[in-house]
Amino acid sequence: MSAVDLPADSPYGLQHLPYGVFSTSGEAPRVGVRVGDAVLDLAPVAAADGLPVSGALAQPTLNAFLASGREQWSDVRDWLVDLLAQDASAELVGAHLLPLADVTLHLPFEVADYVDFYASEHHATNVGRIFRPDGNALTPNWKHLPIGYHGRAGTVVVSGTDVVRPTGQRKTPAEATPTFGPSIRLDIEAEVGFVVGTPTALGERVGVDAFDEHVFGVVLLNDWSARDIQAWEYVPLGPFLGKSFATSVSAWVTPVAALAAARSPLAPQDPQPLEYLRGSGSDSLFGLELAIEVELNGQVVSRPPYRTMYWSPAQMLAHLTVNGASLRTGDLFASGTVSGTERDERGSFLELTWNGAEPVELADCSTRGFLEDGDTVVLRATAPAVGGGRLALGEVRGTIRPAR
Amino acid sequence: MSAVDLPADSPYGLQHLPYGVFSTSGEAPRVGVRVGDAVLDLAPVAAADGLPVSGALAQPTLNAFLASGREQWSDVRDWLVDLLAQDASAELVGAHLLPLADVTLHLPFEVADYVDFYASEHHATNVGRIFRPDGNALTPNWKHLPIGYHGRAGTVVVSGTDVVRPTGQRKTPAEATPTFGPSIRLDIEAEVGFVVGTPTALGERVGVDAFDEHVFGVVLLNDWSARDIQAWEYVPLGPFLGKSFATSVSAWVTPVAALAAARSPLAPQDPQPLEYLRGSGSDSLFGLELAIEVELNGQVVSRPPYRTMYWSPAQMLAHLTVNGASLRTGDLFASGTVSGTERDERGSFLELTWNGAEPVELADCSTRGFLEDGDTVVLRATAPAVGGGRLALGEVRGTIRPAR
């Protein structure tokens, strides 16, 4: 007996319990937890049980809860599992459980700084071959450090937000001068994002062993990319307008604690990285057994396997802070495009279609090099759950609207 | 007769009135305006005069006031000038005027996104010659668009904050593998920053003519740079840890309205940029007559002239939003290093010393290639004021502390 009635194989069962922010008609956004196909309105339930954290859960973003720290995250998770597992809680829980279909989901946290890494060797190699066919696919620094750069935090949007095709400058090598107009090489990047809860002071480093102290959870992330704008602008200071028009994240943040069974060994790194990227034991450098799906207009076109990533999320965090850069609650760092070894494991259309030269064929007999107006892309991912079965990260959905 | 007694040539007279955030012992930070060598505690004065904006002025950052919009900025400025010019206000003003020496200054606004441009042709040419001696100094895109990238908003600090020497990876071309340690090429970048007040919706563009609608004010900015870390990491995705450890801004935000007499004609741009960067009249593309000084340990080592910048701040803003990226209140975009044509007009030690090869000689007979622990750098700038005389932007001061 338990307070909620869920199928045993639900990807949103008691082993998962991801957090989001929702609202109902006429009421303010507040923190909810997904249970099956429903949202538990957390603040009133926590208040009824006398939890001091109920104030943080009544906020319109997760940030106050994120800032409360690992012990609090753990305590609330334990309390929730107990609550939902007990028949005695059925009345309280039932009074605050809302069907997903009746709520609006919002961006779950206020993004402080957004950093995007480039941690897949297969992706970086593919991009290097496409853009620099005459040189080495990987730059000399690639295996020594997880390359990253800052993106635009203010244009991180929640799953379901339409993406307006961006306009800008582009120039092909064959053209003498740039032209202006809507991007004609609009692309996705299937990524995983990591959400920072516990901040640090300026000058403090976060070692690879301290990942769990600082990172609260994981989101799926689509780093929409206008390849034509990006190719013209990015030398020498990196991507800017080719990325800054929109980055979509899932509405649900899966706690790191729910992914304990998804940690997988990291493939050996050669050359061995510098000491600050090594960690003290075999557990500190981990991959994640996340099976990602890229769906275009209802058809799965790729299945990027996250376990093939070269750099561990713990190494990304250690690198990000090794110069003393401080963390803030709400910082988001993403993995970069996840691509496996096979063609149907690539996490961008740039790679899937080899820069448009080998279009993807769809079930309706149309083909795609890059995205067309009206196209809908959905990213999904599942992972092994603690105790068996699989959980599903929140999906990331976006539809392309014509340029204004 | 007036409410305050100021020398006629004060750089902080009624023609200036920059905004900041200050606190006194035991009291919460709040908005102040600099008047001569004093700070006017704005909220109680505004409340006494019945101004609805007084609530925004009692906040610990300028953001609420920045969000109130151009009409409000203008009304408050007019009210302030009237108030300070009238003998009748002397008692009210006097009761809330605090000597600068008695207050602590704070970061004046919460930074939303921070973008750094690269808008000086002389700087970009110098850097290109130093880093890519065999290629063209300017990349092919440089004269077609104001190149920019996102920096770390969370490590923007107020003038006076010590800068701890960052640690990280660096590799010279002569070395086979990277080494780890404190940066040995720690540098400054003398820049001007622009503070956004009025936000936009996702998908909206800000034309070059709309600069004054969105930009509230100007700060001096030192974009501290670890050249050795930067050189190793920045290909292909741009600067990251070489910059993200600290960016210092002045404690005072000079309103755009106070710089009306500092607008100068922009030098002709060849090739003519694309239409979205052109503007409708001669006024929309402007330079700024700002005379900057770089002081190292009390000695002026450079005088970068802002009027020599290639791209107008209005073009930077138009470019930043042409892809539909939204603006938030508190967005900060900076000019990039300001360098003139002459050696003693260069805004970084990278350029002043030609990557360390031609050290700067100091009055104490020591020399500097890059910064040493204990060095103090101060940036200052003055501009023509409306009605004659000159105003001074708030200084940006920072002292280098040893790596941890």
Side-chain angles (χ1 to χ4, degrees), chain B residues 214-283:
Chain B
H214 293 277
V215 176
F216 170 77
V218 170
V219 290
L220 265 184
L221 184 148
N222 187 345
D223 183 36
W224 304 94
S225 299
R227 300 300 182 190
D228 42 356
I229 295 172
Q230 181 185 351
W232 170 231
E233 75 177 357
Y234 90 106
V235 175
L237 299 185
F240 183 40
L241 301 185
K243 304 276 195 173
S244 66
F245 55 96
T247 304
S248 300
V249 295
S250 54
W252 299 107
V253 183
T254 294
V256 163
L259 292 171
R263 295 205 178 187
S264 59
L266 201 67
Q269 295 177 326
D270 181 21
Q272 186 182 42
L274 285 163
E275 191 173 359
Y276 77 96
L277 294 171
R278 280 184 213 162
S280 61
S282 59
D283 287 352

Side-chain angles (χ1 to χ4, degrees), chain A residues 112-117 149-151 196 200 202 317 320-321 323-333, chain B residues 111-116 149-157 223 239-241 243-248 332:
Chain A
D113 271 299
Y114 164 44
V115 167
D116 198 21
F117 283 94
Y149 68 101
H150 284 90
V196 171
T200 62
L202 195 64
L317 185 62
L320 170 56
T321 59
N323 67 345
S326 47
L327 295 176
R328 289 184 293 171
T329 297
D331 277 351
L332 169 66
F333 63 97
Chain B
V111 182
D113 271 299
Y114 165 44
V115 167
D116 198 20
Y149 68 102
H150 285 89
R152 190 162 186 81
T155 52
V156 175
V157 297
D223 183 36
F240 183 40
L241 301 185
K243 304 276 195 173
S244 66
F245 55 96
T247 304
S248 300
L332 170 66

Side-chain angles (χ1 to χ4, degrees), chain B residues 93-336:
Chain B
V93 167
H96 298 284
L97 207 56
L98 304 156
L100 255 184
D102 293 353
V103 307
T104 301
L105 298 173
H106 302 273
L107 185 65
F109 58 101
E110 187 185 352
V111 182
D113 271 299
Y114 165 44
V115 167
D116 198 20
F117 283 95
Y118 193 49
S120 162
E121 181 176 0
H122 308 301
H123 169 68
T125 302
N126 287 337
V127 171
R129 284 189 184 140
I130 291 168
F131 283 133
R132 296 178 292 274
D134 302 327
N136 289 323
L138 294 182
T139 50
N141 52 8
W142 201 92
K143 291 207 166 180
H144 292 283
L145 52 83
I147 290 174
Y149 68 102
H150 285 89
R152 190 162 186 81
T155 52
V156 175
V157 297
V158 70
S159 173
T161 306
D162 285 348
V163 173
V164 176
R165 182 179 297 274
T167 296
Q169 291 195 30
R170 60 277 168 102
K171 190 185 89 63
T172 62
E175 294 171 312
T177 55
T179 56
F180 182 81
S183 171
I184 53 178
R185 291 181 178 256
L186 185 54
D187 197 1
I188 64 157
E189 296 202 327
E191 307 195 12
V192 172
F194 302 90
V195 181
V196 171
T198 308
T200 62
L202 195 63
E204 192 179 326
R205 293 185 207 164
V206 176
V208 288
D209 297 317
F211 179 87
D212 290 336
E213 293 299 323
H214 293 277
V215 176
F216 170 77
V218 170
V219 290
L220 265 184
L221 184 148
N222 187 345
D223 183 36
W224 304 94
S225 299
R227 300 300 182 190
D228 42 356
I229 295 172
Q230 181 185 351
W232 170 231
E233 75 177 357
Y234 90 106
V235 175
L237 299 185
F240 183 40
L241 301 185
K243 304 276 195 173
S244 66
F245 55 96
T247 304
S248 300
V249 295
S250 54
W252 299 107
V253 183
T254 294
V256 163
L259 292 171
R263 295 205 178 187
S264 59
L266 201 67
Q269 295 177 326
D270 181 21
Q272 186 182 42
L274 285 163
E275 191 173 359
Y276 77 96
L277 294 171
R278 280 184 213 162
S280 61
S282 59
D283 287 352
S284 51
L285 301 188
F286 57 87
L288 286 170
E289 189 69 39
L290 293 171
I292 303 175
E293 281 183 357
V294 178
E295 188 187 278
L296 173 62
N297 299 337
Q299 178 178 339
V300 174
V301 294
S302 180
R303 291 188 165 84
Y306 194 91
R307 66 167 186 286
T308 62
M309 300 296 276
Y310 189 87
W311 293 104
S312 171
Q315 292 175 310
M316 298 178 207
L317 184 62
H319 187 63
L320 170 56
T321 59
V322 72
N323 67 345
S326 46
L327 296 176
R328 288 184 294 171
T329 297
D331 277 350
L332 170 66
F333 63 97
S335 61

Side-chain angles (χ1 to χ4, degrees), chain B residues 334-354:
Chain B
S335 61
T337 308
V338 182
S339 289
T341 52
E342 306 305 311
R343 177 174 169 173
D344 62 1
E345 293 179 339
R346 296 172 187 164
S348 70
F349 285 92
L350 174 71
E351 296 163 86
L352 279 168
T353 71
W354 213 253

